[in-house]
Amino acid sequence: MNQRSSNLLDEALGLDQVIEPWPLRGRVVAIEDQVETSGSFVLHHLLKRSLSPNSSNVTIFIAFSQPFSHYDRILRKLGCNLVSQRDNSRFFFFDMLKLQCPDGDEGITPEGGLIALYGKIHKTISALPEISWKNVSIIIDDLSLMEVAANGSSDYVLDFLHYCRTLTSEFDCSLITLNHEDIYSSEDRPTFFIQMEYLADILIKAEPLATGLATDVHGQVPKCYSCFIVG
């Protein structure tokens, strides 16, 4: 991420003032992008900021899109070592990639995967010192793949997000999600996105500039990407 983009995003989210207590505590941040205009750079930046060496913030990362090695490689380029953060119990990585391609009765269900995943998140936060609860971020890297793992049920995904929303009230932690705006049909899109935007306290939209698209290299923000923050 170039310095100017980094500063503007930090200023908009209040991250330029103080990192602890975490400025996003108690809030839901929804990032919306398009397939050709990835908003993953926002996740990378927020992850780096949440794991700042000047804070005691903790991140619970739920990965449906990429393995740990992918994020570790990108964050190392940004000056953050996820292996060290994991060893210091500041970074908890839940690898959900095996649920991407459910077969038959496999995948996420309310009775199985969703409730079990929520239980793991709740248990992880509860095991932390109480003073750390307000500095916890729950990050979900791809809601569309979570929906695939849930056998295509957006209702399961929304139910899970509502469960996680209660954690922001119970523990005053933050919830950060990424979803692709242009992969849904005109029939399916309104309900899901209206619900998501209703849940969100902050909505971030990553869109291309009129000058065209560029390739996101190693987690950095190309100059032709713009980021709009609503709410």
Side-chain angles (χ1 to χ4, degrees):
M1 179 175 289
N2 62 60
Q3 191 63 39
R4 174 173 169 76
S5 297
S6 173
N7 290 341
L8 290 174
L9 182 59
D10 284 349
E11 289 174 12
L13 296 177
L15 301 178
D16 59 324
Q17 301 296 323
V18 64
I19 291 298
E20 191 170 323
W22 182 230
L24 300 179
R25 65 191 184 280
R27 308 179 82 177
V28 175
V29 180
I31 305 165
E32 294 179 1
D33 67 3
Q34 300 174 12
V35 172
E36 293 184 332
T37 314
S38 173
S40 60
F41 65 86
V42 181
L43 282 189
H44 302 154
H45 181 68
L46 293 180
L47 179 56
K48 176 190 174 183
R49 296 292 281 159
S50 70
L51 297 175
S52 166
N54 299 321
S55 75
S56 59
N57 295 348
V58 174
T59 297
I60 299 172
F61 199 99
I62 305 170
F64 286 89
S65 178
Q66 299 289 345
F68 176 86
S69 59
H70 170 83
Y71 293 106
D72 183 46
R73 186 165 54 250
I74 289 178
L75 268 293
R76 281 179 187 269
K77 293 179 182 294
L78 299 178
C80 179
N81 188 325
L82 291 186
V83 174
S84 296
Q85 301 291 355
R86 182 182 60 186
D87 293 344
N88 292 329
S89 298
R90 291 191 59 199
F91 183 69
F92 297 87
F93 190 85
F94 294 174
D95 188 345
M96 308 300 292
L97 269 68
K98 63 182 179 181
L99 297 177
Q100 271 192 33
C101 301
D103 182 17
D105 294 330
E106 296 179 0
I108 290 180
T109 63
E111 298 78 10
L114 279 179
I115 292 178
L117 178 57
Y118 172 78
K120 289 179 181 178
I121 295 171
H122 192 285
K123 182 177 180 180
T124 299
I125 299 175
S126 299
L128 296 170
E130 187 172 347
I131 194 173
S132 299
W133 290 352
K134 293 183 179 181
N135 298 323
V136 172
S137 294
I138 303 166
I139 299 179
I140 304 175
D141 70 351
D142 196 323
L143 290 182
S144 64
L145 290 179
M146 185 179 191
E147 186 175 346
V148 170
N151 296 306
S153 174
S154 60
D155 288 341
Y156 288 0
V157 176
L158 288 171
D159 286 345
F160 178 79
L161 294 175
H162 278 287
Y163 299 156
C164 290
R165 186 71 167 93
T166 66
L167 297 177
T168 66
S169 300
E170 181 179 355
F171 296 106
D172 207 20
C173 58
S174 62
L175 173 64
I176 301 169
T177 67
L178 173 65
N179 201 20
H180 309 302
E181 188 175 10
D182 57 347
I183 65 169
Y184 296 91
S185 67
S186 57
E187 180 179 341
D188 295 334
R189 184 188 181 282
T191 300
F192 186 81
F193 275 86
I194 288 172
Q195 287 289 328
M196 276 302 306
E197 292 173 5
Y198 173 79
L199 282 174
D201 300 296
I202 300 173
L203 176 62
I204 301 175
K205 287 180 174 284
E207 299 179 352
L209 295 178
T211 51
L213 295 170
T215 302
D216 183 354
V217 180
H218 301 311
Q220 298 183 357
V221 183
K223 293 182 180 179
C224 65
Y225 279 31
S226 59
C227 191
F228 298 92
I229 299 180
V230 181

